[in-house]
Amino acid sequence: MPAEGLDWLPDDSVLNDDEVVRLVRIGVEQLGIREVRFTGGEPLVRRGLVDIVRRTHDLGVETSLTTNALGLARMAEALAAAGLDRVNVSLDSVRAETFHQITRRDRLKDVVAGLEAAQAAGLGPVKINAVLMRGVNDDQAPELLRWSLERRYELRFIEQMPLDAQHGWSREGMVTADEILMALEAEFVLQPAQEPRGSAPAELFQVGDGPGTVGVIASVTRPFCGDCDRVRLTADGQIRNCLFAREESDLRAALRAGAADEDIAERWVVAMRGKRAGHGIDDPSFLQPDRPMSAIGG
Ligand code: SF4
């Protein structure tokens, strides 16, 4: 997020709770969606989140949440009671000063409390998503892993992608999966984990004799687009068939114009047919999407 923040969407452009649940139900009943993840911005600031989770869980799908964990200490139990299965928490450093530098907030303690509450509420395995940035926290990979293993959190490092609001990403500046693994292997013995990866983005490694693992999501240097089975629905009702899609398909307009479930499902299918084979970050014609990560969700 830029220091000055981003503009809020006008209220009436955001799907209301019933609209969110209806679109999720159409995806589940008509398109075979089996897992729903709530992302952001920050999903914990959504009023009505617990109820949306409950109604989604009642559709018989797995539910999870990606969050910065501020406020999770307060909400973890209610979310678990509503049927939430798991959480992923974004945390790039466990050093107070680096955390402050990255987030511009002095709230590391609240994130730690959120992680503990999630684990106590049974929202596990609790996963931590970390992004290493050169000159900021790229020396902290082993420290993050040690900290996570001690607390039985599953740490995953994610290569930084060109989705920042400032358009400041550069391939040279990015810390690669190879560099991350090299830094970890200076202190830990890593073995490729046995379990099949399927369409999961993380390459998993067992740490030492286990049972702890660490994941590396090499979205840029080892893309896994061929196995990607994800679709994103934005808070304002747009379908994005890829994180890097340059076009979106408007389901909100159809919904508010009174379209039947079948019609909305058909529009959704058409939106997915245009999904490209890969993100094309290495292609000279690559263009960063207009929406930054904080407006798409991870
Ligand atoms: S870049 Fe697009 S296609 Fe590739 S894994 Fe991400 S969302 Fe899926």
Side-chain angles (χ1 to χ4, degrees), residues 161 197 199-201 218-220 222-230 241-244 275-281:
M161 292 180 278
R197 177 172 170 182
S199 62
S219 324
V220 179
R222 301 178 203 164
F224 37 84
C225 300
D227 292 319
C228 170
D229 58 2
R230 295 180 179 210
N241 60 24
C242 170
L243 208 44
F244 292 95
K275 181 164 172 143
R276 299 196 328 186
H279 52 52
I281 291 174

Side-chain angles (χ1 to χ4, degrees), residues 67 78 180 194 256:
T67 171
I180 296 165
Q194 297 299 319
R256 293 186 180 171

